[in-house]
Amino acid sequence: MIHEELDPNFGNINPNPTKKDTLLPLINEIKKHNAHLGIANDPDGDRHIIVDEQGTPLTPEEIAIICLDYLHKHQIALKGIASTVASSSLIKNAMEKLQLTYLETAVGFKHFASFLEESHTEKKIALAVESSGGLSASFHTLEKCGFLPGLLTLFILKSTKTPLSTLKKEINKKYGTYHFIEDECHLSQEKMHTIRSILKDRK
């Protein structure tokens, strides 16, 4: 465990698990202990990032596809995956190849609730995932959970006896390699006003 101490200032680091610079202490611990993986969560535990045994972070989308691919191999009744417009094409491409449902929604985990409920009613497993690290399943909560992906990944590693880096290579080979990069842009109030005016005129 690292950063487990109670600290309202989060140790003066960005408490966002999807920011790679915040993962450096975890990556160092993985290499130090030859760990199979590392799991990072945000302070309230609803988002995640998983780092493989080589110290390479996997995206939430890659983890979702590894999980669904495993379930598909074991002939589990599946519905598909819901994601948002803020994602790469990995999930869409994988669902097309597996002939499963792909639902793309606006940003916000609340938009996945009806899809997860419907899948549960149909007695099928569906996943919902955000690029920001939120993930859940139709057999779990309708809200995002930062612990579920770690538990599922650990189970798959134990079941397949395959390193996480290899599982990633396998899904990339099957479904393609895609990248989604999210960044921040800080603008002055004047520029923000100009952009808002332009967007308002285009409605």
Side-chain angles (χ1 to χ4, degrees), residues 48 59-65 68 79-95 100-116 119 126-136 180 182:
H48 78 287
T59 68
E61 295 178 4
E62 289 170 332
I63 292 296
I65 294 301
L68 205 80
K79 177 82 170 180
I81 299 183
S83 191
T84 75
V85 292
S87 63
S88 74
S89 297
L90 173 62
I91 293 174
K92 183 178 181 181
N93 192 43
M95 293 306 94
L100 296 171
T101 300
Y102 170 68
L103 175 67
E104 185 174 274
T105 73
V107 174
F109 213 87
K110 63 184 180 182
H111 299 295
F112 301 146
S114 58
F115 178 70
L116 294 174
S119 305
L127 301 180
V129 62
E130 293 179 307
S131 61
S132 59
L135 188 147
S136 194
F180 176 77
E182 187 174 304

mmCIF file of all heavy atoms in Angstrom, residues 48 59-65 68 79-95 100-116 119 126-136 180 182:
data_model
loop_
_atom_site.group_PDB
_atom_site.id
_atom_site.type_symbol
_atom_site.label_atom_id
_atom_site.label_comp_id
_atom_site.label_asym_id
_atom_site.label_seq_id
_atom_site.Cartn_x
_atom_site.Cartn_y
_atom_site.Cartn_z
ATOM 1 N N HIS A 48 -10.056 3.978 -11.492
ATOM 2 C CA HIS A 48 -8.897 3.091 -11.391
ATOM 3 C C HIS A 48 -7.955 3.258 -12.574
ATOM 4 O O HIS A 48 -8.335 3.771 -13.626
ATOM 5 C CB HIS A 48 -9.358 1.629 -11.400
ATOM 6 C CG HIS A 48 -9.700 1.147 -12.780
ATOM 7 N ND1 HIS A 48 -10.847 1.539 -13.443
ATOM 8 C CD2 HIS A 48 -9.032 0.335 -13.654
ATOM 9 C CE1 HIS A 48 -10.870 0.988 -14.647
ATOM 10 N NE2 HIS A 48 -9.780 0.252 -14.801
ATOM 11 N N THR A 59 -5.069 1.234 -20.255
ATOM 12 C CA THR A 59 -6.221 2.125 -20.193
ATOM 13 C C THR A 59 -7.421 1.364 -19.634
ATOM 14 O O THR A 59 -7.486 0.133 -19.729
ATOM 15 C CB THR A 59 -6.578 2.671 -21.584
ATOM 16 O OG1 THR A 59 -7.063 1.594 -22.401
ATOM 17 C CG2 THR A 59 -5.373 3.328 -22.246
ATOM 18 N N PRO A 60 -8.385 2.062 -19.058
ATOM 19 C CA PRO A 60 -9.614 1.402 -18.618
ATOM 20 C C PRO A 60 -10.303 0.635 -19.748
ATOM 21 O O PRO A 60 -10.895 -0.421 -19.519
ATOM 22 C CB PRO A 60 -10.475 2.570 -18.124
ATOM 23 C CG PRO A 60 -9.479 3.597 -17.679
ATOM 24 C CD PRO A 60 -8.356 3.482 -18.665
ATOM 25 N N GLU A 61 -10.205 1.146 -20.973
ATOM 26 C CA GLU A 61 -10.785 0.453 -22.124
ATOM 27 C C GLU A 61 -10.106 -0.892 -22.357
ATOM 28 O O GLU A 61 -10.766 -1.894 -22.639
ATOM 29 C CB GLU A 61 -10.662 1.319 -23.384
ATOM 30 C CG GLU A 61 -11.465 2.601 -23.328
ATOM 31 C CD GLU A 61 -11.264 3.449 -24.568
ATOM 32 O OE1 GLU A 61 -10.563 3.001 -25.499
ATOM 33 O OE2 GLU A 61 -11.820 4.553 -24.612
ATOM 34 N N GLU A 62 -8.780 -0.915 -22.249
ATOM 35 C CA GLU A 62 -8.051 -2.169 -22.449
ATOM 36 C C GLU A 62 -8.421 -3.190 -21.380
ATOM 37 O O GLU A 62 -8.605 -4.376 -21.693
ATOM 38 C CB GLU A 62 -6.544 -1.899 -22.447
ATOM 39 C CG GLU A 62 -6.067 -1.154 -23.685
ATOM 40 C CD GLU A 62 -4.646 -0.663 -23.590
ATOM 41 O OE1 GLU A 62 -4.153 -0.401 -22.458
ATOM 42 O OE2 GLU A 62 -3.992 -0.526 -24.639
ATOM 43 N N ILE A 63 -8.559 -2.730 -20.139
ATOM 44 C CA ILE A 63 -8.961 -3.639 -19.062
ATOM 45 C C ILE A 63 -10.359 -4.180 -19.329
ATOM 46 O O ILE A 63 -10.625 -5.386 -19.153
ATOM 47 C CB ILE A 63 -8.900 -2.929 -17.699
ATOM 48 C CG1 ILE A 63 -7.440 -2.625 -17.317
ATOM 49 C CG2 ILE A 63 -9.578 -3.762 -16.607
ATOM 50 C CD1 ILE A 63 -6.570 -3.856 -17.115
ATOM 51 N N ALA A 64 -11.275 -3.328 -19.768
ATOM 52 C CA ALA A 64 -12.642 -3.764 -20.060
ATOM 53 C C ALA A 64 -12.659 -4.825 -21.153
ATOM 54 O O ALA A 64 -13.376 -5.829 -21.054
ATOM 55 C CB ALA A 64 -13.503 -2.569 -20.467
ATOM 56 N N ILE A 65 -11.841 -4.643 -22.186
ATOM 57 C CA ILE A 65 -11.805 -5.608 -23.294
ATOM 58 C C ILE A 65 -11.146 -6.914 -22.860
ATOM 59 O O ILE A 65 -11.582 -8.005 -23.254
ATOM 60 C CB ILE A 65 -11.092 -5.012 -24.522
ATOM 61 C CG1 ILE A 65 -11.899 -3.845 -25.078
ATOM 62 C CG2 ILE A 65 -10.899 -6.075 -25.607
ATOM 63 C CD1 ILE A 65 -13.315 -4.202 -25.504
ATOM 64 N N LEU A 68 -13.921 -8.699 -20.980
ATOM 65 C CA LEU A 68 -14.996 -9.205 -21.838
ATOM 66 C C LEU A 68 -14.496 -10.316 -22.750
ATOM 67 O O LEU A 68 -15.206 -11.295 -23.013
ATOM 68 C CB LEU A 68 -15.614 -8.083 -22.670
ATOM 69 C CG LEU A 68 -17.052 -8.388 -23.087
ATOM 70 C CD1 LEU A 68 -17.996 -8.097 -21.931
ATOM 71 C CD2 LEU A 68 -17.470 -7.598 -24.300
ATOM 72 N N LYS A 79 -23.862 -9.185 -23.175
ATOM 73 C CA LYS A 79 -24.625 -8.151 -23.872
ATOM 74 C C LYS A 79 -23.696 -7.256 -24.679
ATOM 75 O O LYS A 79 -23.905 -7.018 -25.854
ATOM 76 C CB LYS A 79 -25.404 -7.309 -22.861
ATOM 77 C CG LYS A 79 -26.176 -6.147 -23.471
ATOM 78 C CD LYS A 79 -27.489 -6.591 -24.026
ATOM 79 C CE LYS A 79 -28.333 -5.370 -24.387
ATOM 80 N NZ LYS A 79 -29.638 -5.767 -24.946
ATOM 81 N N GLY A 80 -22.654 -6.738 -24.021
ATOM 82 C CA GLY A 80 -21.708 -5.854 -24.692
ATOM 83 C C GLY A 80 -21.128 -4.844 -23.737
ATOM 84 O O GLY A 80 -21.077 -5.061 -22.534
ATOM 85 N N ILE A 81 -20.711 -3.709 -24.291
ATOM 86 C CA ILE A 81 -20.078 -2.656 -23.490
ATOM 87 C C ILE A 81 -20.662 -1.294 -23.847
ATOM 88 O O ILE A 81 -20.890 -0.991 -25.019
ATOM 89 C CB ILE A 81 -18.554 -2.615 -23.703
ATOM 90 C CG1 ILE A 81 -17.896 -3.937 -23.297
ATOM 91 C CG2 ILE A 81 -17.926 -1.476 -22.901
ATOM 92 C CD1 ILE A 81 -16.382 -3.940 -23.411
ATOM 93 N N ALA A 82 -20.869 -0.486 -22.832
ATOM 94 C CA ALA A 82 -21.235 0.913 -23.025
ATOM 95 C C ALA A 82 -20.027 1.776 -22.702
ATOM 96 O O ALA A 82 -19.294 1.510 -21.757
ATOM 97 C CB ALA A 82 -22.403 1.289 -22.119
ATOM 98 N N SER A 83 -19.811 2.801 -23.515
ATOM 99 C CA SER A 83 -18.743 3.757 -23.262
ATOM 100 C C SER A 83 -19.241 5.140 -23.683
ATOM 101 O O SER A 83 -20.386 5.293 -24.084
ATOM 102 C CB SER A 83 -17.471 3.370 -24.025
ATOM 103 O OG SER A 83 -16.373 4.159 -23.584
ATOM 104 N N THR A 84 -18.387 6.135 -23.585
ATOM 105 C CA THR A 84 -18.821 7.489 -23.925
ATOM 106 C C THR A 84 -18.146 7.968 -25.210
ATOM 107 O O THR A 84 -17.275 7.307 -25.765
ATOM 108 C CB THR A 84 -18.468 8.480 -22.794
ATOM 109 O OG1 THR A 84 -17.056 8.751 -22.821
ATOM 110 C CG2 THR A 84 -18.859 7.924 -21.435
ATOM 111 N N VAL A 85 -18.548 9.160 -25.645
ATOM 112 C CA VAL A 85 -17.937 9.748 -26.842
ATOM 113 C C VAL A 85 -16.456 10.055 -26.605
ATOM 114 O O VAL A 85 -15.692 10.176 -27.558
ATOM 115 C CB VAL A 85 -18.672 11.042 -27.263
ATOM 116 C CG1 VAL A 85 -20.063 10.722 -27.759
ATOM 117 C CG2 VAL A 85 -18.734 12.040 -26.113
ATOM 118 N N ALA A 86 -16.054 10.166 -25.337
ATOM 119 C CA ALA A 86 -14.656 10.442 -24.998
ATOM 120 C C ALA A 86 -13.905 9.131 -24.847
ATOM 121 O O ALA A 86 -13.534 8.717 -23.749
ATOM 122 C CB ALA A 86 -14.573 11.264 -23.712
ATOM 123 N N SER A 87 -13.696 8.441 -25.955
ATOM 124 C CA SER A 87 -12.992 7.150 -25.920
ATOM 125 C C SER A 87 -12.365 6.886 -27.279
ATOM 126 O O SER A 87 -12.671 7.558 -28.265
ATOM 127 C CB SER A 87 -13.956 6.019 -25.548
ATOM 128 O OG SER A 87 -14.959 5.885 -26.533
ATOM 129 N N SER A 88 -11.511 5.873 -27.322
ATOM 130 C CA SER A 88 -10.917 5.468 -28.600
ATOM 131 C C SER A 88 -11.894 4.532 -29.301
ATOM 132 O O SER A 88 -13.004 4.307 -28.825
ATOM 133 C CB SER A 88 -9.584 4.754 -28.358
ATOM 134 O OG SER A 88 -9.812 3.452 -27.841
ATOM 135 N N SER A 89 -11.472 3.958 -30.413
ATOM 136 C CA SER A 89 -12.329 3.024 -31.165
ATOM 137 C C SER A 89 -12.116 1.571 -30.770
ATOM 138 O O SER A 89 -12.676 0.678 -31.401
ATOM 139 C CB SER A 89 -12.074 3.185 -32.667
ATOM 140 O OG SER A 89 -12.421 4.475 -33.094
ATOM 141 N N LEU A 90 -11.310 1.329 -29.737
ATOM 142 C CA LEU A 90 -11.009 -0.051 -29.345
ATOM 143 C C LEU A 90 -12.274 -0.825 -28.993
ATOM 144 O O LEU A 90 -12.494 -1.940 -29.489
ATOM 145 C CB LEU A 90 -10.043 -0.073 -28.156
ATOM 146 C CG LEU A 90 -9.773 -1.451 -27.531
ATOM 147 C CD1 LEU A 90 -9.123 -2.386 -28.552
ATOM 148 C CD2 LEU A 90 -8.906 -1.318 -26.290
ATOM 149 N N ILE A 91 -13.108 -0.252 -28.137
ATOM 150 C CA ILE A 91 -14.303 -0.960 -27.685
ATOM 151 C C ILE A 91 -15.265 -1.195 -28.846
ATOM 152 O O ILE A 91 -15.797 -2.292 -29.022
ATOM 153 C CB ILE A 91 -14.996 -0.185 -26.551
ATOM 154 C CG1 ILE A 91 -14.108 -0.189 -25.315
ATOM 155 C CG2 ILE A 91 -16.355 -0.782 -26.229
ATOM 156 C CD1 ILE A 91 -14.615 0.660 -24.173
ATOM 157 N N LYS A 92 -15.479 -0.173 -29.649
ATOM 158 C CA LYS A 92 -16.385 -0.300 -30.795
ATOM 159 C C LYS A 92 -15.927 -1.401 -31.739
ATOM 160 O O LYS A 92 -16.723 -2.239 -32.186
ATOM 161 C CB LYS A 92 -16.479 1.030 -31.538
ATOM 162 C CG LYS A 92 -17.460 1.013 -32.695
ATOM 163 C CD LYS A 92 -17.541 2.376 -33.353
ATOM 164 C CE LYS A 92 -18.545 2.361 -34.499
ATOM 165 N NZ LYS A 92 -18.619 3.682 -35.160
ATOM 166 N N ASN A 93 -14.641 -1.429 -32.040
ATOM 167 C CA ASN A 93 -14.097 -2.428 -32.959
ATOM 168 C C ASN A 93 -14.211 -3.833 -32.373
ATOM 169 O O ASN A 93 -14.584 -4.786 -33.068
ATOM 170 C CB ASN A 93 -12.635 -2.113 -33.274
ATOM 171 C CG ASN A 93 -12.097 -2.928 -34.433
ATOM 172 O OD1 ASN A 93 -12.776 -3.091 -35.444
ATOM 173 N ND2 ASN A 93 -10.893 -3.432 -34.300
ATOM 174 N N ALA A 94 -13.920 -3.970 -31.078
ATOM 175 C CA ALA A 94 -14.008 -5.280 -30.425
ATOM 176 C C ALA A 94 -15.444 -5.796 -30.411
ATOM 177 O O ALA A 94 -15.698 -6.972 -30.671
ATOM 178 C CB ALA A 94 -13.466 -5.192 -29.008
ATOM 179 N N MET A 95 -16.414 -4.914 -30.135
ATOM 180 C CA MET A 95 -17.815 -5.339 -30.099
ATOM 181 C C MET A 95 -18.311 -5.756 -31.481
ATOM 182 O O MET A 95 -19.090 -6.695 -31.615
ATOM 183 C CB MET A 95 -18.694 -4.219 -29.539
ATOM 184 C CG MET A 95 -18.443 -3.887 -28.063
ATOM 185 S SD MET A 95 -18.548 -5.321 -26.943
ATOM 186 C CE MET A 95 -16.826 -5.830 -26.841
ATOM 187 N N LEU A 100 -21.329 -8.142 -30.536
ATOM 188 C CA LEU A 100 -21.995 -7.763 -29.300
ATOM 189 C C LEU A 100 -22.419 -6.299 -29.387
ATOM 190 O O LEU A 100 -22.015 -5.569 -30.292
ATOM 191 C CB LEU A 100 -21.061 -7.969 -28.108
ATOM 192 C CG LEU A 100 -20.646 -9.413 -27.821
ATOM 193 C CD1 LEU A 100 -19.561 -9.456 -26.753
ATOM 194 C CD2 LEU A 100 -21.842 -10.257 -27.395
ATOM 195 N N THR A 101 -23.226 -5.861 -28.446
ATOM 196 C CA THR A 101 -23.762 -4.507 -28.453
ATOM 197 C C THR A 101 -22.711 -3.490 -28.007
ATOM 198 O O THR A 101 -22.018 -3.692 -27.013
ATOM 199 C CB THR A 101 -24.981 -4.401 -27.517
ATOM 200 O OG1 THR A 101 -25.974 -5.298 -27.964
ATOM 201 C CG2 THR A 101 -25.538 -2.984 -27.501
ATOM 202 N N TYR A 102 -22.627 -2.407 -28.765
ATOM 203 C CA TYR A 102 -21.797 -1.281 -28.374
ATOM 204 C C TYR A 102 -22.703 -0.067 -28.220
ATOM 205 O O TYR A 102 -23.408 0.320 -29.147
ATOM 206 C CB TYR A 102 -20.709 -0.992 -29.413
ATOM 207 C CG TYR A 102 -19.982 0.312 -29.170
ATOM 208 C CD1 TYR A 102 -19.159 0.464 -28.059
ATOM 209 C CD2 TYR A 102 -20.117 1.390 -30.044
ATOM 210 C CE1 TYR A 102 -18.490 1.658 -27.820
ATOM 211 C CE2 TYR A 102 -19.445 2.583 -29.812
ATOM 212 C CZ TYR A 102 -18.638 2.711 -28.705
ATOM 213 O OH TYR A 102 -17.984 3.894 -28.473
ATOM 214 N N LEU A 103 -22.705 0.513 -27.026
ATOM 215 C CA LEU A 103 -23.510 1.696 -26.764
ATOM 216 C C LEU A 103 -22.585 2.861 -26.464
ATOM 217 O O LEU A 103 -21.768 2.795 -25.550
ATOM 218 C CB LEU A 103 -24.445 1.464 -25.576
ATOM 219 C CG LEU A 103 -25.259 2.683 -25.121
ATOM 220 C CD1 LEU A 103 -26.279 3.071 -26.197
ATOM 221 C CD2 LEU A 103 -25.954 2.418 -23.798
ATOM 222 N N GLU A 104 -22.735 3.939 -27.242
ATOM 223 C CA GLU A 104 -21.936 5.138 -27.019
ATOM 224 C C GLU A 104 -22.847 6.232 -26.483
ATOM 225 O O GLU A 104 -23.882 6.527 -27.083
ATOM 226 C CB GLU A 104 -21.272 5.591 -28.315
ATOM 227 C CG GLU A 104 -20.322 6.763 -28.135
ATOM 228 C CD GLU A 104 -19.579 7.068 -29.428
ATOM 229 O OE1 GLU A 104 -18.538 6.440 -29.681
ATOM 230 O OE2 GLU A 104 -20.070 7.934 -30.184
ATOM 231 N N THR A 105 -22.472 6.815 -25.353
ATOM 232 C CA THR A 105 -23.320 7.806 -24.702
ATOM 233 C C THR A 105 -22.571 9.124 -24.513
ATOM 234 O O THR A 105 -21.388 9.235 -24.810
ATOM 235 C CB THR A 105 -23.775 7.318 -23.309
ATOM 236 O OG1 THR A 105 -22.658 7.382 -22.407
ATOM 237 C CG2 THR A 105 -24.309 5.895 -23.360
ATOM 238 N N ALA A 106 -23.298 10.096 -23.990
ATOM 239 C CA ALA A 106 -22.660 11.343 -23.561
ATOM 240 C C ALA A 106 -21.763 11.035 -22.360
ATOM 241 O O ALA A 106 -21.863 9.974 -21.748
ATOM 242 C CB ALA A 106 -23.720 12.365 -23.179
ATOM 243 N N VAL A 107 -20.875 11.960 -22.034
ATOM 244 C CA VAL A 107 -19.982 11.760 -20.898
ATOM 245 C C VAL A 107 -20.784 11.792 -19.596
ATOM 246 O O VAL A 107 -21.649 12.636 -19.395
ATOM 247 C CB VAL A 107 -18.885 12.850 -20.873
ATOM 248 C CG1 VAL A 107 -18.039 12.740 -19.619
ATOM 249 C CG2 VAL A 107 -18.003 12.735 -22.114
ATOM 250 N N GLY A 108 -20.513 10.848 -18.716
ATOM 251 C CA GLY A 108 -21.224 10.754 -17.443
ATOM 252 C C GLY A 108 -21.701 9.334 -17.199
ATOM 253 O O GLY A 108 -22.432 8.776 -18.026
ATOM 254 N N PHE A 109 -21.288 8.762 -16.079
ATOM 255 C CA PHE A 109 -21.596 7.350 -15.824
ATOM 256 C C PHE A 109 -23.090 7.102 -15.680
ATOM 257 O O PHE A 109 -23.574 5.992 -15.912
ATOM 258 C CB PHE A 109 -20.864 6.870 -14.558
ATOM 259 C CG PHE A 109 -20.460 5.431 -14.616
ATOM 260 C CD1 PHE A 109 -19.259 5.056 -15.191
ATOM 261 C CD2 PHE A 109 -21.280 4.442 -14.122
ATOM 262 C CE1 PHE A 109 -18.878 3.726 -15.263
ATOM 263 C CE2 PHE A 109 -20.920 3.103 -14.192
ATOM 264 C CZ PHE A 109 -19.714 2.745 -14.774
ATOM 265 N N LYS A 110 -23.850 8.140 -15.319
ATOM 266 C CA LYS A 110 -25.297 7.992 -15.156
ATOM 267 C C LYS A 110 -25.974 7.520 -16.443
ATOM 268 O O LYS A 110 -27.023 6.879 -16.403
ATOM 269 C CB LYS A 110 -25.920 9.315 -14.713
ATOM 270 C CG LYS A 110 -25.754 10.440 -15.740
ATOM 271 C CD LYS A 110 -26.306 11.750 -15.226
ATOM 272 C CE LYS A 110 -26.123 12.853 -16.265
ATOM 273 N NZ LYS A 110 -26.628 14.156 -15.756
ATOM 274 N N HIS A 111 -25.364 7.804 -17.582
ATOM 275 C CA HIS A 111 -25.957 7.424 -18.873
ATOM 276 C C HIS A 111 -25.885 5.914 -19.129
ATOM 277 O O HIS A 111 -26.509 5.415 -20.059
ATOM 278 C CB HIS A 111 -25.261 8.178 -20.012
ATOM 279 C CG HIS A 111 -25.396 9.664 -19.918
ATOM 280 N ND1 HIS A 111 -26.605 10.312 -20.029
ATOM 281 C CD2 HIS A 111 -24.468 10.626 -19.706
ATOM 282 C CE1 HIS A 111 -26.420 11.621 -19.906
ATOM 283 N NE2 HIS A 111 -25.129 11.831 -19.700
ATOM 284 N N PHE A 112 -25.111 5.199 -18.323
ATOM 285 C CA PHE A 112 -24.964 3.750 -18.513
ATOM 286 C C PHE A 112 -26.005 2.934 -17.745
ATOM 287 O O PHE A 112 -26.145 1.736 -17.981
ATOM 288 C CB PHE A 112 -23.572 3.287 -18.038
ATOM 289 C CG PHE A 112 -22.419 3.936 -18.746
ATOM 290 C CD1 PHE A 112 -21.229 4.196 -18.068
ATOM 291 C CD2 PHE A 112 -22.499 4.283 -20.079
ATOM 292 C CE1 PHE A 112 -20.156 4.776 -18.708
ATOM 293 C CE2 PHE A 112 -21.428 4.877 -20.743
ATOM 294 C CZ PHE A 112 -20.254 5.121 -20.045
ATOM 295 N N ALA A 113 -26.695 3.565 -16.806
ATOM 296 C CA ALA A 113 -27.551 2.831 -15.874
ATOM 297 C C ALA A 113 -28.601 1.970 -16.576
ATOM 298 O O ALA A 113 -28.766 0.784 -16.251
ATOM 299 C CB ALA A 113 -28.230 3.800 -14.905
ATOM 300 N N SER A 114 -29.328 2.526 -17.547
ATOM 301 C CA SER A 114 -30.397 1.769 -18.206
ATOM 302 C C SER A 114 -29.840 0.579 -18.982
ATOM 303 O O SER A 114 -30.457 -0.491 -19.022
ATOM 304 C CB SER A 114 -31.204 2.677 -19.138
ATOM 305 O OG SER A 114 -30.361 3.271 -20.113
ATOM 306 N N PHE A 115 -28.664 0.751 -19.579
ATOM 307 C CA PHE A 115 -28.021 -0.343 -20.323
ATOM 308 C C PHE A 115 -27.646 -1.483 -19.382
ATOM 309 O O PHE A 115 -27.884 -2.664 -19.682
ATOM 310 C CB PHE A 115 -26.778 0.188 -21.038
ATOM 311 C CG PHE A 115 -26.010 -0.852 -21.809
ATOM 312 C CD1 PHE A 115 -26.514 -1.410 -22.973
ATOM 313 C CD2 PHE A 115 -24.759 -1.263 -21.369
ATOM 314 C CE1 PHE A 115 -25.792 -2.356 -23.689
ATOM 315 C CE2 PHE A 115 -24.030 -2.216 -22.080
ATOM 316 C CZ PHE A 115 -24.556 -2.754 -23.245
ATOM 317 N N LEU A 116 -27.091 -1.140 -18.219
ATOM 318 C CA LEU A 116 -26.710 -2.159 -17.239
ATOM 319 C C LEU A 116 -27.943 -2.853 -16.658
ATOM 320 O O LEU A 116 -27.951 -4.073 -16.486
ATOM 321 C CB LEU A 116 -25.880 -1.530 -16.116
ATOM 322 C CG LEU A 116 -24.502 -0.982 -16.517
ATOM 323 C CD1 LEU A 116 -23.856 -0.250 -15.347
ATOM 324 C CD2 LEU A 116 -23.586 -2.091 -17.021
ATOM 325 N N SER A 119 -29.387 -5.251 -19.290
ATOM 326 C CA SER A 119 -28.551 -6.451 -19.407
ATOM 327 C C SER A 119 -28.803 -7.395 -18.239
ATOM 328 O O SER A 119 -28.871 -8.619 -18.416
ATOM 329 C CB SER A 119 -27.073 -6.060 -19.455
ATOM 330 O OG SER A 119 -26.831 -5.144 -20.490
ATOM 331 N N ALA A 126 -22.943 -7.210 -19.002
ATOM 332 C CA ALA A 126 -22.524 -6.031 -19.762
ATOM 333 C C ALA A 126 -21.560 -5.240 -18.899
ATOM 334 O O ALA A 126 -21.639 -5.263 -17.672
ATOM 335 C CB ALA A 126 -23.722 -5.175 -20.139
ATOM 336 N N LEU A 127 -20.656 -4.549 -19.552
ATOM 337 C CA LEU A 127 -19.738 -3.667 -18.856
ATOM 338 C C LEU A 127 -20.002 -2.233 -19.292
ATOM 339 O O LEU A 127 -20.525 -1.982 -20.378
ATOM 340 C CB LEU A 127 -18.283 -4.027 -19.173
ATOM 341 C CG LEU A 127 -17.808 -5.442 -18.828
ATOM 342 C CD1 LEU A 127 -16.341 -5.602 -19.205
ATOM 343 C CD2 LEU A 127 -18.018 -5.750 -17.355
ATOM 344 N N ALA A 128 -19.638 -1.309 -18.437
ATOM 345 C CA ALA A 128 -19.688 0.112 -18.764
ATOM 346 C C ALA A 128 -18.367 0.715 -18.327
ATOM 347 O O ALA A 128 -17.883 0.426 -17.232
ATOM 348 C CB ALA A 128 -20.850 0.787 -18.045
ATOM 349 N N VAL A 129 -17.762 1.528 -19.200
ATOM 350 C CA VAL A 129 -16.420 2.027 -18.899
ATOM 351 C C VAL A 129 -16.236 3.442 -19.423
ATOM 352 O O VAL A 129 -16.744 3.800 -20.485
ATOM 353 C CB VAL A 129 -15.335 1.081 -19.485
ATOM 354 C CG1 VAL A 129 -15.430 0.992 -20.999
ATOM 355 C CG2 VAL A 129 -13.946 1.513 -19.056
ATOM 356 N N GLU A 130 -15.523 4.234 -18.647
ATOM 357 C CA GLU A 130 -15.139 5.584 -19.042
ATOM 358 C C GLU A 130 -13.621 5.668 -19.155
ATOM 359 O O GLU A 130 -12.901 5.018 -18.391
ATOM 360 C CB GLU A 130 -15.578 6.604 -17.988
ATOM 361 C CG GLU A 130 -17.066 6.788 -17.847
ATOM 362 C CD GLU A 130 -17.398 7.794 -16.754
ATOM 363 O OE1 GLU A 130 -16.911 7.625 -15.619
ATOM 364 O OE2 GLU A 130 -18.133 8.741 -17.044
ATOM 365 N N SER A 131 -13.145 6.490 -20.072
ATOM 366 C CA SER A 131 -11.696 6.669 -20.215
ATOM 367 C C SER A 131 -11.078 7.275 -18.959
ATOM 368 O O SER A 131 -9.886 7.122 -18.707
ATOM 369 C CB SER A 131 -11.401 7.570 -21.419
ATOM 370 O OG SER A 131 -11.997 8.849 -21.238
ATOM 371 N N SER A 132 -11.887 7.948 -18.147
ATOM 372 C CA SER A 132 -11.394 8.575 -16.920
ATOM 373 C C SER A 132 -11.208 7.572 -15.787
ATOM 374 O O SER A 132 -10.804 7.943 -14.684
ATOM 375 C CB SER A 132 -12.349 9.681 -16.467
ATOM 376 O OG SER A 132 -13.644 9.161 -16.245
ATOM 377 N N GLY A 133 -11.508 6.285 -16.038
ATOM 378 C CA GLY A 133 -11.224 5.255 -15.042
ATOM 379 C C GLY A 133 -12.428 4.642 -14.373
ATOM 380 O O GLY A 133 -12.288 3.778 -13.518
ATOM 381 N N GLY A 134 -13.630 5.064 -14.741
ATOM 382 C CA GLY A 134 -14.831 4.469 -14.160
ATOM 383 C C GLY A 134 -15.210 3.183 -14.871
ATOM 384 O O GLY A 134 -15.138 3.107 -16.093
ATOM 385 N N LEU A 135 -15.591 2.163 -14.108
ATOM 386 C CA LEU A 135 -16.001 0.888 -14.707
ATOM 387 C C LEU A 135 -16.990 0.199 -13.776
ATOM 388 O O LEU A 135 -16.857 0.257 -12.561
ATOM 389 C CB LEU A 135 -14.793 -0.012 -14.953
ATOM 390 C CG LEU A 135 -15.026 -1.301 -15.750
ATOM 391 C CD1 LEU A 135 -13.783 -1.654 -16.583
ATOM 392 C CD2 LEU A 135 -15.370 -2.487 -14.845
ATOM 393 N N SER A 136 -17.990 -0.461 -14.361
ATOM 394 C CA SER A 136 -18.884 -1.305 -13.582
ATOM 395 C C SER A 136 -19.449 -2.384 -14.496
ATOM 396 O O SER A 136 -19.132 -2.446 -15.685
ATOM 397 C CB SER A 136 -20.006 -0.504 -12.925
ATOM 398 O OG SER A 136 -20.647 -1.318 -11.934
ATOM 399 N N PHE A 180 -6.195 6.855 -26.819
ATOM 400 C CA PHE A 180 -7.034 7.990 -26.466
ATOM 401 C C PHE A 180 -6.247 8.856 -25.496
ATOM 402 O O PHE A 180 -5.860 8.403 -24.425
ATOM 403 C CB PHE A 180 -8.346 7.527 -25.813
ATOM 404 C CG PHE A 180 -9.213 8.682 -25.345
ATOM 405 C CD1 PHE A 180 -9.948 9.412 -26.251
ATOM 406 C CD2 PHE A 180 -9.251 9.034 -24.007
ATOM 407 C CE1 PHE A 180 -10.731 10.484 -25.834
ATOM 408 C CE2 PHE A 180 -10.028 10.102 -23.571
ATOM 409 C CZ PHE A 180 -10.774 10.821 -24.495
ATOM 410 N N GLU A 182 -6.090 12.325 -23.297
ATOM 411 C CA GLU A 182 -6.884 13.395 -22.711
ATOM 412 C C GLU A 182 -5.954 14.400 -22.064
ATOM 413 O O GLU A 182 -5.040 14.029 -21.340
ATOM 414 C CB GLU A 182 -7.834 12.798 -21.665
ATOM 415 C CG GLU A 182 -8.830 13.786 -21.104
ATOM 416 C CD GLU A 182 -9.825 13.108 -20.183
ATOM 417 O OE1 GLU A 182 -10.493 12.157 -20.632
ATOM 418 O OE2 GLU A 182 -9.911 13.507 -19.006
#
